[in-house]
Amino acid sequence: QVQLVESGGGLVQAGGSLRLSCAASGSIASISTMNWYRQAPGKQRELVAAITSGGSTNYADSVKGRFTISRDNAKNTVYLQMNSLKPEDTAVYRCNAYSEPYGLNYWGEGTLVTVSS
């Protein structure tokens, strides 16, 4: 089992920045990829950014150049630095951990990001 706890959401004006954190605990050695997803009201869940255990990253086109995903292995924490935020970035952001050996997904509860215009 893997437990994920997000933090760092809140209200910010357009053009501002926020940093989300996702602290992992439990059987973290089995985690292959850490991901940030978001879901806005009335919209489907969207993969925002991903980082593998080897440090490779991938981003949705809508956030490229504005968001950065990183990990601190010593703290078992993944971050999502969000700059130049836009109102359309408003969503609940959820941390996800994928365990490839077992084909399992783990989810955090989510943190709300609201960007005002």
Side-chain angles (χ1 to χ4, degrees):
Q1 287 289 335
V2 174
Q3 294 77 43
L4 303 173
V5 178
E6 303 102 331
S7 60
L11 174 64
V12 64
Q13 288 188 332
S17 298
L18 282 175
R19 188 177 79 158
L20 306 183
S21 300
C22 173
S25 60
S27 303
I28 58 176
S30 68
I31 296 174
S32 308
T33 305
M34 295 291 295
N35 309 291
W36 283 100
Y37 284 82
R38 69 184 180 186
Q39 187 164 19
K43 294 188 177 181
Q44 288 191 337
R45 185 173 62 200
E46 173 189 24
L47 176 61
V48 176
I51 186 166
T52 68
S53 56
S56 297
T57 59
N58 193 33
Y59 298 92
D61 288 342
S62 58
V63 306
K64 281 181 180 177
R66 299 188 298 122
F67 290 12
T68 302
I69 189 170
S70 62
R71 62 195 299 164
D72 184 334
N73 291 328
K75 296 182 178 180
N76 297 325
T77 300
V78 173
Y79 303 97
L80 185 67
Q81 178 67 43
M82 306 185 294
N83 299 327
S84 302
L85 283 161
K86 304 175 181 179
E88 51 264 43
D89 294 319
T90 294
V92 173
Y93 286 71
R94 294 184 73 186
C95 182
N96 165 269
Y98 176 62
S99 173
E100 186 173 353
Y102 303 104
L104 295 175
N105 275 293
Y106 300 95
W107 293 92
E109 291 294 318
T111 185
L112 177 63
V113 172
T114 303
V115 185
S116 63
S117 58

